[in-house]
PDB file of all heavy atoms in Angstrom:
ATOM      1  N   ALA A 843       3.091 -26.484  -9.706  1.00  0.00           N
ATOM      2  CA  ALA A 843       3.655 -26.802  -8.406  1.00  0.00           C
ATOM      3  C   ALA A 843       3.483 -25.634  -7.438  1.00  0.00           C
ATOM      4  O   ALA A 843       3.182 -25.839  -6.245  1.00  0.00           O
ATOM      5  CB  ALA A 843       5.131 -27.166  -8.543  1.00  0.00           C
ATOM      6  N   GLN A 844       3.684 -24.382  -7.923  1.00  0.00           N
ATOM      7  CA  GLN A 844       3.497 -23.228  -7.058  1.00  0.00           C
ATOM      8  C   GLN A 844       2.056 -23.103  -6.598  1.00  0.00           C
ATOM      9  O   GLN A 844       1.793 -22.795  -5.448  1.00  0.00           O
ATOM     10  CB  GLN A 844       3.939 -21.976  -7.795  1.00  0.00           C
ATOM     11  CG  GLN A 844       5.435 -21.821  -7.927  1.00  0.00           C
ATOM     12  CD  GLN A 844       5.806 -20.614  -8.768  1.00  0.00           C
ATOM     13  OE1 GLN A 844       5.006 -20.093  -9.528  1.00  0.00           O
ATOM     14  NE2 GLN A 844       7.071 -20.202  -8.656  1.00  0.00           N
ATOM     15  N   GLN A 845       1.115 -23.319  -7.520  1.00  0.00           N
ATOM     16  CA  GLN A 845      -0.299 -23.210  -7.137  1.00  0.00           C
ATOM     17  C   GLN A 845      -0.676 -24.293  -6.158  1.00  0.00           C
ATOM     18  O   GLN A 845      -1.457 -24.065  -5.249  1.00  0.00           O
ATOM     19  CB  GLN A 845      -1.168 -23.257  -8.393  1.00  0.00           C
ATOM     20  CG  GLN A 845      -1.089 -21.989  -9.210  1.00  0.00           C
ATOM     21  CD  GLN A 845      -1.920 -22.054 -10.462  1.00  0.00           C
ATOM     22  OE1 GLN A 845      -2.422 -23.088 -10.834  1.00  0.00           O
ATOM     23  NE2 GLN A 845      -2.046 -20.918 -11.152  1.00  0.00           N
ATOM     24  N   ALA A 846      -0.132 -25.503  -6.332  1.00  0.00           N
ATOM     25  CA  ALA A 846      -0.443 -26.579  -5.406  1.00  0.00           C
ATOM     26  C   ALA A 846       0.107 -26.284  -4.030  1.00  0.00           C
ATOM     27  O   ALA A 846      -0.574 -26.506  -3.016  1.00  0.00           O
ATOM     28  CB  ALA A 846       0.144 -27.895  -5.933  1.00  0.00           C
ATOM     29  N   SER A 847       1.326 -25.728  -3.952  1.00  0.00           N
ATOM     30  CA  SER A 847       1.890 -25.399  -2.645  1.00  0.00           C
ATOM     31  C   SER A 847       1.133 -24.244  -1.993  1.00  0.00           C
ATOM     32  O   SER A 847       1.018 -24.181  -0.775  1.00  0.00           O
ATOM     33  CB  SER A 847       3.363 -25.060  -2.761  1.00  0.00           C
ATOM     34  OG  SER A 847       3.553 -23.848  -3.438  1.00  0.00           O
ATOM     35  N   LYS A 848       0.600 -23.339  -2.800  1.00  0.00           N
ATOM     36  CA  LYS A 848      -0.198 -22.225  -2.254  1.00  0.00           C
ATOM     37  C   LYS A 848      -1.472 -22.761  -1.633  1.00  0.00           C
ATOM     38  O   LYS A 848      -1.891 -22.301  -0.568  1.00  0.00           O
ATOM     39  CB  LYS A 848      -0.536 -21.258  -3.404  1.00  0.00           C
ATOM     40  CG  LYS A 848      -0.720 -19.827  -2.971  1.00  0.00           C
ATOM     41  CD  LYS A 848      -1.068 -18.981  -4.148  1.00  0.00           C
ATOM     42  CE  LYS A 848       0.098 -18.127  -4.545  1.00  0.00           C
ATOM     43  NZ  LYS A 848      -0.255 -17.118  -5.540  1.00  0.00           N
ATOM     44  N   ARG A 849      -2.078 -23.758  -2.268  1.00  0.00           N
ATOM     45  CA  ARG A 849      -3.313 -24.348  -1.718  1.00  0.00           C
ATOM     46  C   ARG A 849      -3.021 -25.139  -0.466  1.00  0.00           C
ATOM     47  O   ARG A 849      -3.882 -25.246   0.416  1.00  0.00           O
ATOM     48  CB  ARG A 849      -3.972 -25.252  -2.767  1.00  0.00           C
ATOM     49  CG  ARG A 849      -4.712 -24.506  -3.838  1.00  0.00           C
ATOM     50  CD  ARG A 849      -5.544 -25.482  -4.671  1.00  0.00           C
ATOM     51  NE  ARG A 849      -4.733 -26.549  -5.273  1.00  0.00           N
ATOM     52  CZ  ARG A 849      -4.191 -26.479  -6.488  1.00  0.00           C
ATOM     53  NH1 ARG A 849      -4.378 -25.406  -7.230  1.00  0.00           N
ATOM     54  NH2 ARG A 849      -3.486 -27.482  -6.955  1.00  0.00           N
ATOM     55  N   ASP A 850      -1.861 -25.753  -0.402  1.00  0.00           N
ATOM     56  CA  ASP A 850      -1.535 -26.646   0.707  1.00  0.00           C
ATOM     57  C   ASP A 850      -1.077 -25.907   1.975  1.00  0.00           C
ATOM     58  O   ASP A 850      -1.057 -26.492   3.041  1.00  0.00           O
ATOM     59  CB  ASP A 850      -0.447 -27.640   0.301  1.00  0.00           C
ATOM     60  CG  ASP A 850      -0.956 -28.617  -0.753  1.00  0.00           C
ATOM     61  OD1 ASP A 850      -2.175 -28.702  -0.909  1.00  0.00           O
ATOM     62  OD2 ASP A 850      -0.120 -29.272  -1.383  1.00  0.00           O
ATOM     63  N   ARG A 851      -0.707 -24.617   1.856  1.00  0.00           N
ATOM     64  CA  ARG A 851      -0.191 -23.938   3.023  1.00  0.00           C
ATOM     65  C   ARG A 851      -1.301 -23.696   4.038  1.00  0.00           C
ATOM     66  O   ARG A 851      -2.440 -23.425   3.651  1.00  0.00           O
ATOM     67  CB  ARG A 851       0.491 -22.641   2.628  1.00  0.00           C
ATOM     68  CG  ARG A 851      -0.463 -21.515   2.289  1.00  0.00           C
ATOM     69  CD  ARG A 851       0.311 -20.215   2.096  1.00  0.00           C
ATOM     70  NE  ARG A 851      -0.582 -19.166   1.672  1.00  0.00           N
ATOM     71  CZ  ARG A 851      -1.298 -18.420   2.493  1.00  0.00           C
ATOM     72  NH1 ARG A 851      -1.235 -18.600   3.781  1.00  0.00           N
ATOM     73  NH2 ARG A 851      -2.090 -17.466   2.036  1.00  0.00           N
TER      74      ARG A 851
END
Side-chain angles (χ1 to χ4, degrees):
Q844 286 174 342
Q845 287 178 350
S847 69
K848 208 181 254 189
R849 282 191 303 268
D850 293 344
R851 76 173 176 85

